[in-house]
Amino acid sequence: MNAKKAERVNLGSSIKAMRESKGLSLTSLAERLALSQIHLISIEQGRYETRKDILAKIIKYLDGDIKILENYHKSALVEVN
């Protein structure tokens, strides 16, 4: 596994852990964020690069640490208000 893929997998694992710690099913989170289940599964499994705005929306909804996103996208900070 290359470094970029490993980064995506780590990020996806963090998102999944946050979701599960909130007691949310994949279906309910996908509905609340207006994402398809397939899209959310792909993010959690690190299948592909995900847009910063979508990641910020997920992390904000889950009350996650924005540093997860900042570390993932080192080249640009995303403001989540």
Side-chain angles (χ1 to χ4, degrees), residues 8-26:
R8 289 193 314 262
V9 169
N10 286 338
L11 177 66
S13 295
S14 295
I15 290 170
K16 183 177 181 179
M18 285 188 284
R19 175 179 60 76
E20 289 176 342
S21 76
K22 298 281 184 189
L24 293 169
S25 70
L26 191 120

Side-chain angles (χ1 to χ4, degrees), residues 32-78:
R32 291 173 190 199
L33 296 173
L35 298 172
S36 72
Q37 289 180 39
I38 298 296
H39 191 167
L40 190 54
I41 288 167
S42 295
I43 292 169
E44 288 187 354
Q45 294 179 348
R47 289 189 190 155
Y48 58 85
E49 189 81 22
T50 304
R51 291 186 351 227
K52 290 180 275 191
D53 61 319
I54 293 173
L55 292 174
K57 185 177 177 182
I58 293 167
I59 292 169
K60 181 180 179 187
Y61 186 85
L62 294 173
D63 297 323
D65 187 347
I66 195 65
K67 288 184 193 244
I68 294 168
L69 183 60
E70 291 171 358
N71 290 337
Y72 183 68
H73 289 288
K74 295 175 182 93
S75 62
L77 298 179
V78 176

